[in-house]
Amino acid sequence: MRLKDKIMSLIQEIKVNAAQVLNEIYEVEFPIDSIQVNDTKPEFVGDYTIVTFPFTKQTKQKPEEVAEQLGAALVAQNTIFTSYNVIKGFLNLEINATYFNEFLVAHFTNPSFGQSAQNGQKVMIEYSSPNTNKPIHFGHLRNIFLGFSLANILKETGYEVIKANLINDRGIHICKSMIAWMKEGNGATPTSTGIKGDHLVGDYYVLYNDLFKKELAVLVEQGIEKEVAEKQAPILLEAQELLRKWEANDEDTIRLWKTMNTWVYEGFDVTFKKLGVDFDQFYYESNTYLSGKEVALKGLQNNILYQKEDHSVWIDLEADGLDQKLLLRGDGTSVYMTQDIGTAILKYNDYKMDKSVYVIGDEQNYHMQVLKLILQKLQEPCADGIYHLSYGMVELPNGKMKSREGNVVDADDMVAEMTSIAQKNTEELGKVEGFTEEELLELYNTLGLGALKFYLLRVDPKKKMIFNPEESIDFHGFTGPFIQYTHARISSILRKANDIELKSVAIEMTAQEKGLLKQIEQFPNLLMQAATEYNPSLVCIYIFNLAKEYNSFLANHSILKADTNEQMIFRLQVSTLVKNVLAKGLKLLGINSPERM
RNA sequence: GGCCCUGUAGUUAAAUGGAUAUAACCAGCGUUUCCUAAACGCUAAUUCCAAGUUCGAUUCUUGGCAGGGCUACCA
């Protein structure tokens, strides 16, 4: 067996071997993926375990007998297996240490370990997608980190990735900020006030809602029903008028709209940069909101859509268990769904991607389901590639965040808060020596962001999460800084040993050393799984377990004072490999790995 | 009403249908002469309820219960 030629992962190799042997013994074809290979539980002897219960029907033998025969044949046939034992229907296999030794030698200096070859597939990931009437808040961060991380993971596993941001820059919401600014802004600008552009615009959005509520109260006082008053409040009518002017291309309105949007973009830029995320392609809804109409009309001609008496255009999805959905109003204008249809087609025409991932909250599950179905019915080529990466909302302990009420945890504040906790912790631990002022600032930022990103990415995306600002963020345990710390410790050791030549050595490895290598060997596979499942939390869990295992190893093994020179070299090699994998895992999550902390 | 998602130690999270359900935080007790105690070790504690399928169910099916979301000619 030559590691250089090795394409298969160890688990895959076990499966292939097992299938082959089963075929030889029983003359039964078992599909490779039907063979279950698990990690052997620590209380048993062995590295990997084949579950033999599923074979009993076709082999007409007891699980123990199948396991026994399979184990004997595997050990006799392939030198990667050194021994086996059978407990009930579980066949525990021990893997030859030589295998891991060769693996170590082949990869400990390989910076691209974990990376897969290009697979020719193109994926677009749309994420972030903010409205321009308010700053980015904590809930958006989950979206942004998920999208960015997923893009990294897909690139690493061989996809060509386009990161897209669809900016929702038009509509009644931005008009609300505009009208409040016109009324009470007195010409305030980010420069004149010193307020970050997106926050400034967001403040007027909140102000709009305050004014609206006041007007509402007055109307209700006058004896008007609340629901009626909500539609009659003068400021709302003004905002709607502003939207009409915008649509009519009114010069002053457009100018103000552009100005305020520019403020917001400048603010967003700062935030995105601070968060360490970027995009390849921006789409603006003001450019795309009229599209989709032609497609709808074409669908009408082909009788996929139908028209009601008031000329509104609909699609009937009841046969698919959904509702009827409006696509064009009676006056011929588009709705949200129509725009999304248009944008989906536009994106596809731009890139012809195989997959289009939308990172959007789970409250839009229905919308996305309908969007995909309509595109399929319209026989648009982009339809089948659409995937909704649906994630649960981030809630505060006292309920949902509402930017209308200013009841949000702001993203910029959050980053600043985390950075200052990092600073406080570092200072308390007295670990500031040997750093320049500049390096310290960078370190605090690395640690604060690391904690924040890891915290939001470690949970399965589809689960909603509750964020408790006081209690939830920690620097111990299942956190970013824990892994960063492990990385920094390894770096320290390697710095001390940097004049030692890491030549190939053959040693008897301990169980824990073997365990580390076994874990690392699974890394490429794990990345593939994270990519197929669109789930960065798998990477979080993996690198956390690896860091934990390494820390435990470190407590039990001497490295620089190992018994023999060979042992030291071997452990330095293992450490190098662990460091590389931790750094790569963190990088895929968008987190930096400090050399010292 | 209909549809979708989620219920696992005190808390936050794991577990392609597999062995005695796994970690972290919190609590209690310990550990610093290779690297950095942001670490390591030990102790205690968990599958919402009821049926079903299975050799085997946290996982699949059905029915409850609880929480959230969607069900706009807003975006």
Side-chain angles (χ1 to χ4, degrees):
Chain A
M1 175 188 54
R2 282 281 157 272
L3 250 285
K4 271 184 213 152
D5 311 326
K6 177 183 162 306
I7 304 163
M8 273 186 275
S9 70
L10 183 49
I11 289 182
Q12 191 67 11
E13 182 153 353
I14 295 173
K15 287 183 182 180
V16 169
N17 273 280
Q20 202 181 329
V21 168
L22 285 169
N23 189 13
E24 282 164 18
I25 304 177
Y26 301 105
E27 295 178 352
V28 181
E29 287 278 351
F30 287 96
I32 287 175
D33 287 325
S34 73
I35 295 170
Q36 289 181 54
V37 178
N38 302 335
D39 280 327
T40 302
K41 300 249 169 199
E43 57 267 34
F44 303 106
V45 174
D47 295 304
Y48 285 101
T49 298
I50 299 180
V51 185
T52 60
F53 294 97
F55 308 139
T56 51
K57 266 190 192 151
Q58 292 187 66
T59 59
K60 303 195 168 59
Q61 286 202 353
K62 289 181 180 167
E64 291 89 335
E65 290 166 5
V66 181
E68 190 63 42
Q69 294 203 42
L70 181 57
L74 284 174
V75 170
Q77 206 169 82
N78 194 327
T79 54
I80 68 169
F81 305 108
T82 51
S83 75
Y84 74 95
N85 64 82
V86 177
I87 293 164
K88 292 193 265 180
F90 299 97
L91 169 62
N92 300 321
L93 294 162
E94 203 175 346
I95 304 298
N96 197 333
T98 313
Y99 178 93
F100 292 112
N101 227 325
E102 286 183 24
F103 168 80
L104 176 65
V105 171
H107 292 295
F108 88 94
T109 52
N110 173 11
S112 61
F113 173 64
Q115 200 170 9
S116 305
Q118 293 292 315
N119 62 16
Q121 297 256 311
K122 205 187 271 189
V123 185
M124 176 178 280
I125 301 180
E126 180 195 300
Y127 70 105
S128 173
S129 303
N131 289 356
T132 56
N133 63 324
K134 58 199 171 199
I136 289 167
H137 67 64
F138 195 73
H140 296 128
L141 288 181
R142 189 174 195 192
N143 179 312
I144 292 172
F145 295 152
L146 266 175
F148 183 72
S149 172
L150 187 62
N152 289 339
I153 291 169
L154 289 175
K155 267 188 224 165
E156 189 72 12
T157 48
Y159 293 84
E160 184 186 337
V161 177
I162 303 118
K163 290 179 270 189
N165 195 349
L166 173 65
I167 302 209
N168 185 2
D169 60 346
R170 67 160 285 279
I172 192 73
H173 48 85
I174 179 71
C175 289
K176 288 176 179 177
S177 292
M178 283 160 67
I179 201 78
W181 184 87
M182 286 161 73
K183 281 176 176 299
E184 312 236 344
N186 293 319
T189 68
T191 320
S192 76
T193 56
I195 299 174
K196 195 162 163 278
D198 51 335
H199 287 117
L200 185 71
V201 174
D203 289 345
Y204 286 100
Y205 187 66
V206 173
L207 177 64
Y208 166 89
N209 281 291
D210 289 347
L211 295 172
F212 174 76
K213 272 186 201 156
K214 273 181 204 155
E215 292 185 356
L216 197 63
V218 172
L219 290 173
V220 170
E221 191 112 318
Q222 290 168 357
I224 299 173
E225 293 259 347
K226 200 180 168 210
E227 281 108 53
V228 181
E230 275 174 353
K231 290 178 182 161
Q232 286 182 355
I235 195 165
L236 174 66
L237 300 179
E238 286 175 89
Q240 286 169 341
E241 175 59 23
L242 206 54
L243 182 58
R244 270 188 293 275
K245 280 182 172 174
W246 183 91
E247 283 174 357
N249 251 319
D250 174 69
E251 212 175 294
D252 289 341
T253 309
I254 297 281
R255 192 181 309 121
L256 177 61
W257 171 77
K258 276 190 180 159
T259 305
M260 289 182 77
N261 272 342
T262 306
W263 295 344
V264 172
Y265 297 146
E266 284 166 2
F268 282 173
D269 271 353
V270 172
T271 302
F272 289 144
K273 204 162 272 174
K274 182 100 185 164
L275 296 176
V277 300
D278 57 11
F279 303 91
D280 305 308
Q281 171 77 58
F282 286 88
Y283 289 100
Y284 295 91
E285 214 174 275
S286 54
N287 293 332
T288 63
Y289 84 108
L290 294 173
S291 66
K293 200 172 157 178
E294 290 165 29
V295 193
L297 292 174
K298 204 175 84 191
L300 193 58
Q301 279 174 5
N302 300 338
N303 290 321
I304 298 163
L305 311 183
Y306 69 93
Q307 200 157 25
K308 285 192 179 174
E309 277 177 15
D310 65 353
H311 301 300
S312 58
V313 177
W314 296 72
I315 187 163
D316 185 355
L317 302 173
E318 281 176 359
D320 298 278
L322 303 171
D323 300 317
Q324 312 225 342
K325 188 80 195 171
L326 175 96
L327 290 180
L328 291 176
R329 297 186 182 98
D331 62 7
T333 54
S334 303
V335 293
Y336 177 38
M337 182 61 76
T338 327
Q339 295 171 30
D340 269 5
I341 290 169
T343 311
I345 293 169
L346 177 69
K347 285 159 135 188
Y348 186 78
N349 289 340
D350 283 352
Y351 290 99
K352 299 279 186 295
M353 59 278 192
D354 303 280
K355 279 253 153 66
S356 183
V357 178
Y358 291 70
V359 185
I360 304 182
D362 62 6
E363 79 272 10
Q364 298 213 35
N365 284 353
Y366 182 74
H367 175 81
M368 290 304 297
Q369 194 187 350
V370 171
L371 173 66
K372 180 164 180 166
L373 188 57
I374 294 178
L375 284 164
Q376 281 171 333
K377 290 208 181 286
L378 293 171
Q379 303 195 328
E380 287 295 334
C382 63
D384 290 335
I386 289 179
Y387 178 83
H388 177 200
L389 175 54
S390 161
Y391 64 92
M393 289 290 106
V394 181
E395 291 173 17
L396 295 171
N398 55 356
K400 269 190 111 168
M401 298 187 202
K402 290 210 176 77
S403 43
R404 248 179 304 156
E405 293 158 19
N407 167 29
V408 288
V409 179
D410 179 78
D412 294 321
D413 292 348
M414 198 59 226
V415 173
E417 170 76 11
M418 292 308 298
T419 307
S420 91
I421 293 175
Q423 173 167 9
K424 199 182 110 228
N425 287 355
T426 307
E427 285 168 355
E428 273 173 11
L429 289 165
K431 297 193 176 188
V432 292
E433 265 176 52
F435 286 92
T436 66
E437 200 61 28
E438 215 168 279
E439 286 169 340
L440 277 177
L441 287 180
E442 194 191 323
L443 177 66
Y444 301 150
N445 199 43
T446 298
L447 295 178
L449 270 179
L452 190 56
K453 290 184 180 181
F454 197 89
Y455 179 75
L456 285 169
L457 287 173
R458 65 184 205 179
V459 182
D460 188 326
K462 67 170 180 286
K463 293 198 176 179
K464 72 164 187 252
M465 57 191 295
I466 294 173
F467 171 66
N468 186 333
E470 284 81 35
E471 295 167 14
S472 296
I473 298 272
D474 203 341
F475 282 57
H476 304 267
F478 188 21
T479 68
F482 171 85
I483 295 159
Q484 291 173 317
Y485 176 67
T486 309
H487 179 271
R489 287 178 82 188
I490 299 176
S491 301
S492 290
I493 296 170
L494 296 178
R495 263 198 306 279
K496 271 206 157 180
N498 73 347
D499 53 342
I500 297 168
E501 190 201 342
L502 300 184
K503 59 182 184 198
S504 295
V505 291
I507 59 127
E508 188 102 341
M509 61 183 83
T510 67
Q512 210 162 17
E513 286 165 343
K514 190 176 179 186
L516 275 171
L517 290 173
K518 192 177 135 191
Q519 225 169 323
I520 292 168
E521 195 274 337
Q522 297 175 351
F523 184 56
N525 243 1
L526 179 278
L527 291 184
M528 294 297 276
Q529 195 193 344
T532 351
E533 295 178 14
Y534 301 113
N535 186 357
S537 75
L538 297 176
V539 177
C540 294
I541 294 165
Y542 174 87
I543 55 176
F544 171 64
N545 284 328
L546 181 61
K548 210 152 56 75
E549 186 65 27
Y550 183 83
N551 280 326
S552 173
F553 156 81
L554 209 48
N556 294 326
H557 295 69
S558 291
I559 294 183
L560 298 176
K561 288 191 179 171
D563 291 341
T564 68
N565 203 40
E566 281 73 25
Q567 262 180 350
M568 180 181 70
I569 288 172
F570 177 80
R571 286 171 192 171
L572 286 170
Q573 288 171 336
V574 171
S575 300
T576 307
L577 192 50
V578 172
K579 174 181 151 152
N580 290 346
V581 171
L582 291 180
K584 173 154 287 178
L586 286 171
K587 188 168 157 258
L588 295 178
L589 299 170
I591 299 174
N592 292 331
S593 313
E595 289 293 315
R596 292 186 295 158
M597 64 185 270

